[in-house]
Amino acid sequence: DAKTTQPPSMDCAEGRAANLPCNHSTISGNEYVYWYRQIHSQGPQYIIHGLKNNETNEMASLIITEDRKSSTLILPHATLRDTAVYYCIVNPTLYSGAGSYQLTFGKGTKLSVIP
Amino acid sequence: NAGVTQTPKFQVLKTGQSMTLQCAQDMNHEYMSWYRQDPGMGLRLIHYSVGAGITDQGEVPNGYNVSRSTTEDFPLRLLSAAPSQTSVYFCASWKGATGELFFGEGSRLTVL
């Protein structure tokens, strides 16, 4: 059973904000939301993660709804180099003892940034 | 820092041959793992390790062996290659308890 649901593809104009949604309606209280991306055929790259508060770093912002059933990754000013597959993953932390060693990558959202 | 280094980057094998994919990390991470990615698919976990001398199976372990004799190295062995093992293999190491994985650039394996 998939823990997350993401649209298979999205387009975004260069310079605009890219908002990537993720549904995780069965998320447990000890599960974090992680976002990774994979550019072309390179190894996936960590972007951001959060539990229930909104998070921001130099790459992106993560907005998690109050009920934690969905989240949105925001790339504030998308560039052509942001074209990639974006993966939303829910998982306990490694020390939660809840089988958390397996980050499960689904098919993600293919984001195309258009010039 | 080199991060996570995988070798070789490309390999072609014949059915039945054996080989080892090498993975090394220089970040002193305790946790390491191997994933495979087939065309149009997400990554699937093969094996993982939570420290030197400790390994465990992931989602798709059949046909692969691993060992972890040092913190730095986590080789993946294909015992008798099959065409179904044609894939891109990624090694990753974990940073602390946050679930932040650092991935290598991948090893592209073709089994004829």
Side-chain angles (χ1 to χ4, degrees):
Chain A
D1 290 338
K3 286 189 172 183
T4 64
T5 303
Q6 299 178 253
S9 64
M10 292 181 62
D11 292 339
C12 177
E14 188 178 16
R16 304 297 295 268
N19 296 280
L20 292 94
C22 180
N23 287 326
H24 31 79
S25 58
T26 60
I27 192 170
S28 300
N30 68 342
E31 288 184 314
Y32 284 67
V33 180
Y34 299 89
W35 283 85
Y36 283 76
R37 72 180 183 183
Q38 188 173 24
I39 295 173
H40 200 235
S41 297
Q42 299 176 18
Q45 176 190 23
Y46 166 84
I47 301 173
I48 199 168
H49 75 282
L51 184 62
K52 50 186 173 182
N53 296 323
N54 297 337
E55 303 287 346
T56 296
N57 63 20
E58 64 278 5
M59 290 182 66
S61 295
L62 174 60
I63 308 298
I64 303 174
T65 58
E66 191 170 346
D67 62 8
R68 303 209 322 124
K69 292 185 176 181
S70 65
S71 61
T72 302
L73 178 75
I74 301 173
L75 307 179
H77 304 287
T79 71
L80 298 179
R81 288 176 293 181
D82 292 322
T83 292
V85 177
Y86 287 78
Y87 298 99
C88 170
I89 302 164
V90 297
N91 202 71
T93 61
L94 292 177
Y95 295 131
S96 74
S100 54
Y101 299 111
Q102 305 189 33
L103 282 192
T104 300
F105 289 78
K107 294 187 179 181
T109 296
K110 180 171 174 54
L111 175 69
S112 298
V113 180
I114 311 300
Chain B
N1 279 345
V4 178
T5 302
Q6 292 182 233
T7 56
K9 288 185 169 48
F10 300 92
Q11 183 71 49
V12 179
L13 291 178
K14 294 181 179 178
T15 297
Q17 288 184 316
S18 62
M19 77 157 299
T20 299
L21 299 177
Q22 302 290 346
C23 176
Q25 54 95 5
D26 61 359
M27 297 172 282
N28 201 32
H29 290 169
E30 288 185 54
Y31 308 93
M32 296 184 73
S33 54
W34 277 101
Y35 288 84
R36 63 176 285 175
Q37 185 172 35
D38 301 311
M41 303 288 290
L43 282 77
R44 291 184 292 171
L45 183 67
I46 304 172
H47 285 286
Y48 64 92
S49 170
V50 300
I54 307 171
T55 64
D56 206 346
Q57 296 180 352
E59 180 186 357
V60 288
N62 292 339
Y64 307 94
N65 272 359
V66 292
S67 60
R68 185 94 179 273
S69 57
T70 67
T71 300
E72 294 78 20
D73 300 301
F74 190 44
L76 178 72
R77 297 183 187 84
L78 281 71
L79 308 174
S80 177
S84 60
Q85 293 179 303
T86 294
S87 190
V88 181
Y89 292 84
F90 291 101
C91 178
S93 68
W94 298 339
K95 175 181 178 181
T98 65
E100 179 180 350
L101 271 65
F102 291 79
F103 283 85
E105 288 302 308
S107 296
R108 286 150 181 81
L109 175 67
T110 300
V111 182
L112 303 176

